[in-house]
Amino acid sequence: MKKSIFLYLFILSVLFNVFTYVFLSKQVKFNQDQLTKVEKRSSDKIKKLEDASADSNYFALENNQNAQNYFEKPDGSFIAPEKLIPFVKEQLISYNDKPTGNPYTGYEPIDGKKFLVNKVKVLNHRWIIVDFNNTDLWGEAIIKYFINDDGTVDFETAESLLYSK
């Protein structure tokens, strides 16, 4: 009787170990398959994001060699986009401090609320696109900019639009 109990326990433990081994080996394979799928989806998404980023930055001074060449002077000196872009943005946004708001939005204050430039994207050596609002209304504008010999920046609103509520 004692021997048969030990035999049953031994057989039960062997079966338990076999089932555990099979379960864990299938679990490992399942996890590896899941990981492979996630890696494939992630690499596809990364590729799409890289493509979207390249498309969105196509019209950017940082990626436009022809526009960068415009800032090369006859003496060989050069204004790097890394310095020029923040400088131009800062100059344009500084007009937000005017009592009537930023004049380059193309709109006077409405209901006493002045328009302020929020986002600025330097497209090339001549154009900037901006997003602006007055807390109630939002709009966008294309602005021409000119770097003067004395290092100042002149702006001119080329086109401006205001979205309806």
Side-chain angles (χ1 to χ4, degrees):
M1 177 89 171
K2 217 174 189 179
K3 287 184 178 184
S4 64
I5 291 176
F6 284 123
L7 181 62
Y8 288 128
L9 287 174
F10 176 73
I11 291 172
L12 189 63
S13 68
V14 167
L15 285 174
F16 181 74
N17 284 333
V18 167
F19 287 127
T20 303
Y21 173 76
V22 169
F23 172 76
L24 291 177
S25 65
K26 287 187 178 187
Q27 183 70 25
V28 167
K29 182 169 177 11
F30 175 77
N31 287 342
Q32 288 174 341
D33 290 346
Q34 290 298 98
L35 181 61
T36 303
K37 288 177 185 176
V38 167
E39 287 175 343
K40 172 98 171 88
R41 274 186 273 154
S42 297
S43 65
D44 290 347
K45 287 181 181 179
I46 289 171
K47 176 71 171 132
K48 286 180 183 176
L49 287 172
E50 287 173 346
D51 291 345
S53 176
D55 286 346
S56 68
N57 284 328
Y58 180 80
F59 291 106
L61 180 61
E62 300 96 326
N63 300 322
N64 186 338
Q65 189 60 48
N66 291 328
Q68 290 178 20
N69 290 343
Y70 178 82
F71 294 108
E72 191 171 334
K73 297 183 178 166
D75 65 359
S77 63
F78 178 74
I79 303 172
E82 299 81 29
K83 292 181 181 179
L84 177 73
I85 293 169
F87 175 71
V88 170
K89 286 180 179 182
E90 183 180 301
Q91 293 297 309
L92 183 60
I93 289 177
S94 70
Y95 287 97
N96 285 350
D97 296 334
K98 288 189 172 242
T100 58
N102 197 313
Y104 300 108
T105 61
Y107 293 95
E108 294 293 320
I110 297 177
D111 296 332
K113 296 178 181 177
K114 62 184 182 176
F115 286 96
L116 305 175
V117 170
N118 302 313
K119 281 206 163 284
V120 178
K121 172 98 172 157
V122 178
L123 298 176
N124 58 24
H125 65 289
R126 186 61 60 222
W127 299 329
I128 300 171
I129 188 167
V130 300
D131 172 73
F132 61 88
N133 75 13
N134 75 346
T135 67
D136 287 336
L137 300 169
W138 294 82
E140 295 174 348
I142 297 286
I143 300 173
K144 293 180 185 178
Y145 74 99
F146 307 92
I147 305 294
N148 300 319
D149 292 335
D150 62 357
T152 59
V153 184
D154 290 332
F155 299 101
E156 176 185 320
T157 305
E159 192 71 37
S160 182
L161 68 91
L162 198 58
Y163 294 110
S164 59
K165 283 187 177 183

